[in-house]
């Protein structure tokens, strides 16, 4: 007689069972399509006439189309593990996905819709995701994880700034809002990276996890928070001395670099899913250091932003999605063929688009082209391997 407990009731559609499934899949696909549009633009072909123009659309959609979807997919999946309570699934999850997708379509093909409607449609996504997460964290009384909620809400504020900037013709508002959003996602990478990178590394290597140094952890988190607060002040119109912001960024970069060095990344060279996490985290201090240099006039700030956005954020997202999508579909966690190549291409794209372009600005056209192509190849490799698992039920029959 079978005495095992009955399987928990799940949505019939596997895609609707946990947030990582639809958001990882759609975000990856969307990023490739958006990059194709951007590549065509640099070659004189206008494939879209989106709200705000292609320059604004590219900045906005890579942050709030691609980046926000991956962040929400990860957090609304992780919060179930953290709290032990069922996260959003089924029709409510599909509704959240539909809201995200509707905003992408409306911004790409505005067809005369008023700006306030486009803005409302796009702005609703992150606060709703924050509400779902807050409800679960508060119910479980795991206050440590509540810190992700204000980050999501601040991201929504940065999104609002970019929308107001384009409707009011204020370029500074667009720029400062985009900068704040990139820094907020970098903060998430620092917080989550500090939890999972040393843990995953120690498990794979069969070595004890290095004990965190409390002072170092505090300096890392507080300096990153200070960077975000200074950028928020700049967004709100406060004059922030460049020297102050640069100094705080250098402190945050140094603290993150020391933190990373303690995680024994040099022992992970045979495991792309691990060295991909370590190397992507290394781009956080690199991007912050470049940003500080840019504030002293060494080169344009947008080069530092791309070091963070491509090498730090997008590459870590690729490595994390590759790992999470295996574990949460009941599959063996291993590096699938080509994933290491994809991660390598992402880091090559980041180097081309940031430090190499800073040193050799005369090759701008080539660096833009190659970085876009490398991104597309990397995420197409992910889609090739993971589309079917993300659309299929867990192979072990468990929930999720």
């Amino acid at each position: 007689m079978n005495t095992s407990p009955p399987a928990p009731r799940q949505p019939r559609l596997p895609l609707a069972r946990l947030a990582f499934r639809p958001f990882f899949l759609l975000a990856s696909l969307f990023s490739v399509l958006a990059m194709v549009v951007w590549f065509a633009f640099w070659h004189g072909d206008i494939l879209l006439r989106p709200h705000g123009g292609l320059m604004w659309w590219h900045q906005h959609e890579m942050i709030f189309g691609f980046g926000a979807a991956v962040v929400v997919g990860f957090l609304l999946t992780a919060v179930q593990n953290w709290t032990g309570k069922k996260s959003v699934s089924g029709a409510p999850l599909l509704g959240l996905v539909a809201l995200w997708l509707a905003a992408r379509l409306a911004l790409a093909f505005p067809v005369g819709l008023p700006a306030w409607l486009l803005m409302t449609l796009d702005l609703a996504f992150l606060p709703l995701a924050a509400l779902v997460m807050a409800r679960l964290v508060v119910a479980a009384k795991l206050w440590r994880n509540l810190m992700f909620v204000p980050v999501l809400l601040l991201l929504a504020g940065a999104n609002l700034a970019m929308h107001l900037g384009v409707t009011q013709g204020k370029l500074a508002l667009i720029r400062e809002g985009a900068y704040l959003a990139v820094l907020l996602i970098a903060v998430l990478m620092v917080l989550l990276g500090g939890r999972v990178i040393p843990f995953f590394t120690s498990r794979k290597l069969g070595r004890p996890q290095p004990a965190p140094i409390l002072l170092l952890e505090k300096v890392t988190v507080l300096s990153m928070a200070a960077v975000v607060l200074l950028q928020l002040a700049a967004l709100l119109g406060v004059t922030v001395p460049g020297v102050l912001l640069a100094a705080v960024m250098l402190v945050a970069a140094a603290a993150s670099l020391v933190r990373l060095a303690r995680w024994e990344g040099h022992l992970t060279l045979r495991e792309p899913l691990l060295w991909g996490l370590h190397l992507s985290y290394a781009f956080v201090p690199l991007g912050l250091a470049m940003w500080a240099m840019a504030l002293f006039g060494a080169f344009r700030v947008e080069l530092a932003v791309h070091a963070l956005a491509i090498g730090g954020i997008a590459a870590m997202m690729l490595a994390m999605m590759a790992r999470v999508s295996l574990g949460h579909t009941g599959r063996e966690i291993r590096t699938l063929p080509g994933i290491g190549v994809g991660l390598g291409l992402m880091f090559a794209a980041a180097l081309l688009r940031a430090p190499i372009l800073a040193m050799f600005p005369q090759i701008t056209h080539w660096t833009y082209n190659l970085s876009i192509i490398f991104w597309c190849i990397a995420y197409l490799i992910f889609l090739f391997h993971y589309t079917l698992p993300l659309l299929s039920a867990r192979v072990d029959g468990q929930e999720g």
Side-chain angles (χ1 to χ4, degrees), residues 11 66 94 100 107 120 196 214 216 244 254 267 279 286 323 394:
F66 164 71
L94 292 178
W100 173 86
L107 291 174
T120 302
V196 304
L214 185 58
L216 177 60
L244 174 61
L267 300 176
L279 194 51
L286 174 62
R323 186 182 182 92
R394 285 181 63 118

Side-chain angles (χ1 to χ4, degrees), residues 138-187:
V138 171
K141 298 182 180 179
L142 289 176
W143 310 118
R144 175 174 177 243
N145 294 313
L146 199 60
M147 62 184 172
F148 296 105
V149 173
V151 175
L152 290 174
L153 294 177
L154 282 172
L155 265 176
N159 192 8
L160 174 62
M162 289 197 73
H163 276 282
L164 292 177
V166 75
T167 56
Q168 298 174 8
K170 295 181 178 178
L171 295 180
L173 202 54
I174 297 171
R175 181 185 66 246
E176 302 301 338
Y179 288 176
L180 177 61
V182 169
L183 290 171
L184 283 165
I185 299 178
V187 166

Side-chain angles (χ1 to χ4, degrees), residues 41-81:
F41 171 71
W42 280 108
H43 288 267
D45 296 316
I46 308 299
L47 301 183
L48 282 182
R49 298 192 182 278
H51 174 69
L54 274 168
M55 293 290 286
W56 181 88
W57 181 83
H58 171 72
Q59 294 177 64
H60 181 272
E61 291 300 89
M62 294 313 295
I63 299 170
F64 297 105
F66 164 71
V70 176
V71 166
V72 167
F74 181 87
L75 288 178
L76 294 189
T77 300
V79 74
Q80 178 167 296
N81 292 339

Side-chain angles (χ1 to χ4, degrees), residues 318-342:
L318 181 60
M320 285 297 297
M321 288 193 297
R323 186 182 182 92
V324 168
S325 298
L326 291 175
H328 280 282
T329 57
R331 290 165 171 81
E332 177 190 356
I333 297 177
R334 62 186 181 91
T335 303
L336 300 181
I339 293 297
V341 173

